[in-house]
């Protein structure tokens, strides 16, 4: 049995986005559009689509920023 969500979490929980400026898969303009649509706090990084491999420091920093914001 399925129940509908009582509220959309994206309306009340802050969003964070890491914009990868050297991404060849998702254009930066599309990343920016989606982040703005979500009302996300954004961070830009000079990295490719494989940012978790090439820049794990930037990914970890963004996660920590989100955790600190949520407290």
């Amino acid at each position: 049995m399925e129940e509908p969500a009582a509220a959309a979490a994206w309306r009340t929980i802050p969003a964070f986005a890491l914009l990868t400026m050297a991404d060849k898969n998702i254009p930066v303009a599309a990343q920016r559009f989606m982040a703005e649509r979500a009302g996300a706090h954004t961070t830009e990084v000079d990295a490719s689509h494989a940012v978790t491999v090439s820049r794990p420091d930037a990914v970890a920093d963004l996660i920590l920023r989100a955790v600190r914001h949520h407290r």
Side-chain angles (χ1 to χ4, degrees):
M1 186 169 174
E2 294 181 24
E3 291 184 39
W10 61 265
R11 292 182 192 253
T12 58
I13 297 173
F16 291 80
L18 189 61
L19 305 180
T20 50
M21 307 311 284
D23 197 321
K24 302 292 186 209
N25 294 314
I26 303 174
V28 175
Q31 294 178 54
R32 192 168 276 116
F33 169 77
M34 289 183 281
E36 288 174 1
R37 183 176 60 184
H41 302 273
T42 59
T43 300
E44 295 182 4
V45 63
D46 186 26
S48 70
H49 192 72
V51 67
T52 56
V53 175
S54 65
R55 293 292 310 276
D57 58 319
V59 176
D61 288 347
L62 183 67
I63 292 168
L64 292 172
R65 182 177 166 207
V67 168
R68 284 191 294 272
H69 188 275
H70 187 60
R71 290 183 182 178

